[in-house]
Every structure is written in structure tokens, then in C-alpha cells.
Amino acid sequence: MTFELFVQHLVNGISLGSLYALIAIGYTMVYGIIRLINFAHGDIITLAAYFVFFGVGLFAMPWWLAAILSIILTAITGIIIEKAAYKPLRSKNAPRISLLISAIGVSFFIENVSTVVFGGRPKSFYSPEIFKGVIKAGGISIPNLSVIIPIVTAVLLIALVYLVNKTVTGMSMRACSNDMDTAKLMGIDVDRVISLTFCIGSALAAIGGIMWGLKYPQIHPLIGVMPGLKCFIAAVVGGIGNIPGAVVGGMLLGLGEILLVAFLPGLSGYRDAFAFIILILILLFRPTGILGEKIAEKV
Amino acid sequence: MRQNKTLKIIGVILLLGLFIYYAQNNLDSYKIRILNLCAINIILTLSLNLTNGFCGMFSLGTAGFMAIGAYTSAILTMPPEVKQMNFFMSPMNQHLMNLNAPFIVALIMAGLLAALVGFLIGAPVLKLKGDYLAIATLGFGEIIGVVFTNTQTITNGALGLKGIPQYTNLYWGFSLAVLTILSLMTLLNSSYGRAFKAIREDETAAQAMGINLFYHKSLAFAISAFLAGVGGALMANLLSTIDPTMFKFTYTYQILLMVVLGGMGSITGSIMSATIMTIMMEALRAVESTIDLGFVTIPGIPGMRMVIFSIILIAVVLFLKNGIMGENELTFETLEKAIQRFQSKKGRENHEPTRG
């Protein structure tokens, strides 16, 4: 393998990894606060991509407007999911398994509704000119998108870390994550914090979903399932409940996947299995993840 | 008393047998197929209920184990000529090509292979709890799909297998379902069953009482995998066509719905919900076809069935927390009591007017 080719794979890996990281943050935030795998997170990705598709295709919106509307709509969807499917169970003090089944039900529901409403046939995702170019440097050619995705992730990550660590809202989020009952006693509106968490997580997933659509411009109703599962794994690998951990996990998974295919092309069919093998290994040898809970603050 | 119960069970089985005999000979093939699916879904629901309901391990690997069973049975029962026709892209592994076995052997092999894989997977994964276990087993199911898509010389990859002999009939389906029910009832009434339930309630306490966690959990997981494998094998020999996409997580979700609806930890609940849901799944096809009411025509919406299912799943968890049966069983005693209550109520109603 030449050096140029290696760099190219590396850039691809980083771009995929930052996409995973963005989606994994949503998982990790929700898990940090209500200790629930939000199975519907992956389907939020699907919805975001379809909202943009219909905004541009059906309502002839400019691309950026469709993207912003899609992010707002998915954030609202996230809040509705929480209010409709998780909150009633939480207030009844139902066992965690019930919450998990409810989450699976919501995910199943969104998948089926998307199939009915959007149609099962794959659709091609509109991609504006700015994302189409290719940067050439030496023998290396990198698509613009592979540079844009990590930058977007980095900006959002910095904003999020600031929000969590420096603002009052962030403080109440951290308090809820530590001990919800005590937070309630201290006068924190726990329901508002949870809604906000779902809102932020879903918005990040929406941004991830739109970029996923730009990167792989074929969308279908189950497009979010695999990224959803893999990003959950990324969150666990990094240490669930931990935002920097989600980024580390996402990067590891993205780079690992791309480099596995690059170095062992014979195994490229097993690309989707890679993440699950990593998951089982991590859970066996370091169940708290790479950046375990004690090192960094969890949200 | 015990003798009495045994007699009653034999009576119920005989009645079921008569019904099956009648159904196999008189009903049309569509209805027979639905009944077959009922039997298969009963086996699968019990398989998932054993781990999720009785042992408290939230596993989502059913579809993966089904796939193993289905492919094992398909490869064992297909005659070499049919295999030759299937593998036109690249030839099949020569050892598997000439492999052929009667259906009963294929079924047992399907179950055993699934159980073996279940044990191998379970050994490392069963340390996990709750949602981690759910994701790990779900992931395992997906890996099986990926592996079967890539092993061209064994499974014919994404093309799937066609022309699997249709050995599954009502006799096979229901005798295996009854066998499953009886053996699970025996198992759960034994010390093993009590150990499973103890683990479900509190692992630490169970361990403190001297229950070997690893042994019992892997045992439950392997038995569950065995049953899922047999269910998959019956499915393959019923549908006669299989491919890796059939055994996706959506199938596991359907079985999960049946378990939750019937009640996590109730055998009779699972039997009821599996039967009801399977029949409903077919009845709801009406929603997907155009309905003509004479004055107005409602266009059919394809895919609507599954939407209704997912709504049922959410609704059951939100409003009917324990499903139909909770952890209770429908026994002869509860039935008799219910009948007595019903009769005495009826009697009172009849007497009431004369009293006034």
C-alpha cells in the first residue's frame, strides 16, 4: 500500500468516525441521564434524511432551509418520543426492561411508518454543489465532504462541552445524571432537563443523518438502523455516559472499519460485523469503556 | 390429584390431535399454513420467554438462532440435484453437497447446532446485564446474517436457498410444539426452573444461595437457542425458500411482542399470544387490500399491518404492563374455578327476579 493511499484511507476513516461520534453523543447523553438505550435514535437519523429529501424535492425549499427545518423537526420528534413512550413508564417506576421494550417498540413503529409513508424504494438524496468537490494535494484526492464532516463534528463537540460544563443548564444536566432524586430536591426541573437532553441528542442525530445522506446518497426507511446500532457500540466502547468517550469510540470504530477493509479486502463483506466483535471484546475486558466513568465527567 | 392432572393433559392433547387430524385433511392449504405458523411461533415465543421471562436475561438473538436452524435443516434435507440448481453462481462445498438426512435428524441437528452456537456466544456475553445483553445478542443476530451472506459455498450467500422440501405439516409442527410445552413445564417445575426464577429476581441472592450462575444461565440460553433453531428449521421446510434477510431483527421484535403480550414468565400466556398474534397477522392483511364498502372505497395501505403491530407493542408496555397472563399460568384449577364462578353468577341472576 502506498503512502498516498494510506492517507486517503485515514481521511476516510476520520470522516466516518466523526460521523459515528456525532450520533454516539446523542446515545451517551440520553443514557447518562435516564439509563436507557434509546433504540429509536437510529430511526431519528432516517427521519432527518427523509425530511431534507422531502423539503427539497416536494416543497422546493433551498437546501439549507430544508436542513434547518429537518433538524428542528427531528428535535421535536425526539421530545415527543420521550413524552409519549418513556415518561409514562418513568413516572410509574416501571422496571428498566419495560423501558427497553418501549424503546424497541418506538423504533419498530418509526421504521414501519417510514416504510408506509416514504415508500420502501430507495431514493437518491440531493447533494448541493459545495459538498461535491474534491480537494487534490499531491497524489491524494479528498472529497470536500470528508473534510467538512470532521469540522462540523468538532465545532458541535466544543459547543456541547461548553454547554455541559460552563452553563447553568449543563450543571443541572450533570446533577440529574449523578442523582435524579437529589437533583429534584434541589429544585431542578428534571422533566425539562430530560426533554432538553432528548432535544439536543436528536438534533445531533439529525445533523449526523443529513451528513450520512450526503456521504451515502441513497436513502431508504432502514438506513438509520445500522449506524444506530454501531453508534451505540461506539458510545459503549468509549464509556457510556461520557461525551469525550463517545468521540473516542466513534473514531475508533470508523477508523477500524475503513482500515480493516483497506488492509484486508477479503473481509470487506464482514464490515458490519466488525463493530459487534469490538463490542463483545470491550465488554469482556473493559466493561466501563475506554474512558471509564471515573476519569471524565459523565452527562 | 396428580394422576387426575395427567389424565386431563392427555385429554387436551387427544382433543388437539383430533383437531389437527381434521384440519390437515379438510382445511385449505392457506389455513393449514397459518396453523403451521401458529405452531412455529408458539415454539419461538416459548424459546424467547425462557430467557427473557423466566431467567431475566433480555436476549434478542432469536432471529440469529432461527437462521442457523433454518440453514442447517435446509442443507440436510435438500436433495443434491436441487442443491446443484441453487448454487449456479459458485459450486457448493463438496462435503455438504452429498449430505442428506431424514427430516427428524435435520430437526435435531438444527437445534443442536443452534444450541452449540448459543453456548459459544452465551459463555462470554452472559456476564452482561439488561440493555448491554440486549445489544450484544441483537448484534450477534446481525452478525449471523452477515456471515450467511458471505459464505457463498455453504449458504449460497444473498441468493438464498430455494426448493427446500416441504416436510413441515401440522403433525410435525404441533407435536413439536406440544413436546416443547411439556418439557418446558417439567423443566420449570424442577429445581432448574426455580434456579432460573431465583436468578431473575436477584442474581446476587441466587448466587449466595449456591446457585451456579454461569451454568444455569448458559443452560437456559442454550435451550432457548435449541428451540429457536428447531423453529427456524420448521420454518425453512414450511416456506421452502430462505435467504439471510428473512432472519433480521424485525422477526425478533415480532416474537418479542408475542412474549410481552402473553406475559413475561407465563407459558400459557405465550401459547395464547402466539396463536392470537399469528392469526391476527393474517387477518390484518385486510387492512392492506382495498376495502369496498359499497358507497366508499378505502384504498389499502401496504405495510400498515406492521405499523399496527408496533403500536400494539408500545400500548401493551404502556398500559398492560404484565400482558395477558403476567407470571400466572392458566391451569385446570383456575379454569374450573372460573367456570364455577360463572355458573354461580348465572344461577344468581336467574334466581334474582323471583326473589323480588
Side-chain angles (χ1 to χ4, degrees), chain A:
Chain A
M1 182 176 291
T2 60
F3 178 69
E4 280 86 8
L5 204 58
F6 178 71
V7 172
Q8 207 149 348
H9 284 308
L10 207 61
V11 173
N12 275 338
I14 290 173
S15 121
L16 183 66
S18 34
L19 205 49
Y20 282 161
L22 203 56
I23 302 167
I25 291 171
Y27 269 115
T28 234
M29 285 178 72
V30 169
Y31 194 94
I33 291 197
I34 60 172
R35 302 273 179 274
L36 163 78
I37 302 177
N38 184 12
F39 264 88
H41 203 66
D43 304 293
I44 294 273
I45 302 169
T46 319
L47 287 181
Y50 270 100
F51 286 154
V52 173
F53 174 82
F54 282 109
V56 173
L58 208 60
F59 299 105
M61 286 178 198
W63 187 85
W64 54 270
L65 184 65
I68 291 173
L69 273 181
S70 153
I71 294 167
I72 295 172
L73 275 178
T74 20
I76 295 173
T77 316
I79 297 174
I80 293 174
I81 291 173
E82 198 276 320
K83 294 271 184 231
Y86 305 150
K87 190 165 171 252
L89 287 173
R90 249 189 305 120
S91 46
K92 268 192 286 190
N93 265 334
R96 273 178 64 195
I97 287 300
S98 300
L99 268 166
L100 195 64
I101 297 170
S102 187
I104 291 174
V106 171
S107 158
F108 201 28
F109 175 70
I110 298 179
E111 278 157 25
N112 292 321
V113 168
S114 328
T115 316
V116 169
V117 177
F118 305 142
R121 212 151 43 87
K123 296 191 163 59
S124 60
F125 195 77
Y126 171 75
S127 156
E129 283 307 313
I130 26 162
F131 297 119
K132 279 185 180 159
V134 174
I135 302 167
K136 284 206 171 93
I140 310 162
S141 56
I142 301 163
N144 277 354
L145 200 63
S146 297
V147 183
I148 294 172
I149 293 175
I151 294 174
V152 173
T153 304
V155 170
L156 288 172
L157 180 67
I158 292 167
L160 197 66
V161 169
Y162 176 80
L163 174 84
V164 169
N165 289 325
K166 301 283 179 196
T167 62
V168 179
T169 319
M171 200 193 285
S172 49
M173 284 168 109
R174 278 179 288 149
C176 285
S177 154
N178 249 336
D179 187 337
M180 203 173 279
D181 291 326
T182 317
K184 222 180 264 175
L185 290 175
M186 294 294 138
I188 292 172
D189 186 348
V190 175
D191 284 332
R192 208 188 121 253
V193 171
I194 293 174
S195 292
L196 187 74
T197 313
F198 269 86
C199 174
I200 296 174
S202 304
L204 291 176
I207 298 171
I210 295 168
M211 292 201 290
W212 191 275
L214 293 168
K215 200 170 162 63
Y216 306 102
Q218 273 262 321
I219 56 172
H220 56 87
L222 295 180
I223 187 187
V225 175
M226 250 312 157
L229 285 175
K230 283 185 192 166
C231 292
F232 171 75
I233 295 173
V236 173
V237 168
I240 196 144
N242 178 318
I243 292 180
V247 177
V248 172
M251 283 293 176
L252 190 79
L253 235 55
L255 275 172
E257 225 180 275
I258 296 281
L259 294 181
L260 174 86
V261 176
F263 283 107
L264 303 163
L267 290 179
S268 58
Y270 294 97
R271 191 178 153 170
D272 283 341
F274 172 74
F276 293 104
I277 293 163
I278 294 277
L279 173 75
I280 290 173
L281 290 180
I282 276 282
L283 288 174
L284 283 182
F285 297 111
R286 203 177 157 84
T288 52
I290 296 172
L291 302 181
E293 291 203 333
K294 274 175 193 137
I295 301 164
E297 220 147 13
K298 64 185 177 119
V299 158

Side-chain angles (χ1 to χ4, degrees), chain B residues 212-228:
Chain B
N212 185 340
L213 282 190
F214 179 78
Y215 173 72
H216 283 94
K217 280 171 130 186
S218 345
L219 184 72
F221 204 67
I223 295 174
S224 165
F226 181 90
L227 293 176

